[in-house]
Amino acid sequence: MYTVSFEDLANHQAGPDGVPADAMSANAPRSVPFEEAVALADMEDADARLRTMSDGGILNWSRFDIQPFARLMPSIAYLDKVDREGGVIDFRYGFVGENINAIAKRNLRGICLRDVLVGEKAEAIIQEYATTLEERVPRASSGNVSISDLTWVRYLRFLYPTRTETGLDRVFLIMLFAAP
């Protein structure tokens, strides 16, 4: 499993400049300046490759090639923007790596975020995905995801806006979990 240093994430999380981004537990996660997050996760090469497949900061799905990202595949997913009843925005998982499924304790393929997320911060999480598309720039955040009443795992999440043949309607996700 590709992981990020728990100590580095914990130290970064405690910083005073963090901005609440989302939460699935009592400890509010924080947005992380994108370049800092890339360095923290030692993802400079992966980010550079994604940018070569991008136009103006937006990943072009027709140019995407998964091969250079083999080591990250268990931590990768993509989610397509969908409009639910009443014009409510949601995101449906397409491909989902095994690390993400393992944390969720189920296969997320085909499931929408609104059907997975729990807690008072669920709407803020969905808004972060929507903002990624609206602002047309990659985003990063860190926090905790609760996997039971007594267990949580720290994560570092990268969201890349992605254009498909139907428009700017996909978010490419890299979700790294801290080593215990």
Side-chain angles (χ1 to χ4, degrees), residues 4 34 51 74 127 152 164 173:
V4 64
F34 193 79
R51 291 182 189 268
Q127 186 57 50
W152 55 268
T164 68
L173 165 70

Side-chain angles (χ1 to χ4, degrees), residues 41-148:
D42 192 24
M43 279 196 13
E44 291 89 348
D45 291 342
D47 181 61
R49 286 186 185 269
L50 286 168
R51 291 182 189 268
T52 65
M53 299 174 200
S54 299
D55 299 314
I58 299 170
L59 182 59
N60 183 335
W61 197 249
S62 67
R63 293 183 7 212
F64 181 75
D65 178 8
I66 193 68
Q67 187 176 5
F69 305 98
R71 75 180 177 107
L72 289 172
M73 279 187 68
S75 301
I76 289 175
Y78 72 78
L79 297 92
D80 291 315
K81 181 180 173 189
V82 294
D83 292 318
R84 292 182 79 156
E85 192 174 310
V88 174
I89 295 172
D90 205 348
F91 291 86
R92 179 175 287 119
Y93 284 97
F95 171 82
V96 183
E98 288 307 309
N99 290 352
I100 299 168
N101 283 331
I103 294 295
K105 296 183 180 177
R106 64 179 166 161
N107 185 346
L108 295 173
R109 184 179 177 96
I111 298 176
C112 289
L113 281 178
R114 290 185 185 280
D115 298 328
V116 173
L117 298 177
V118 295
E120 62 187 45
K121 301 297 181 175
E123 194 62 39
I125 296 168
I126 294 166
Q127 186 57 50
E128 184 177 13
Y129 284 72
T131 299
T132 300
L133 295 180
E134 291 165 10
E135 294 182 357
R136 301 171 174 242
V137 294
R139 303 174 61 82
S141 59
S142 67
N144 302 327
V145 62
S146 297
I147 56 176
S148 75

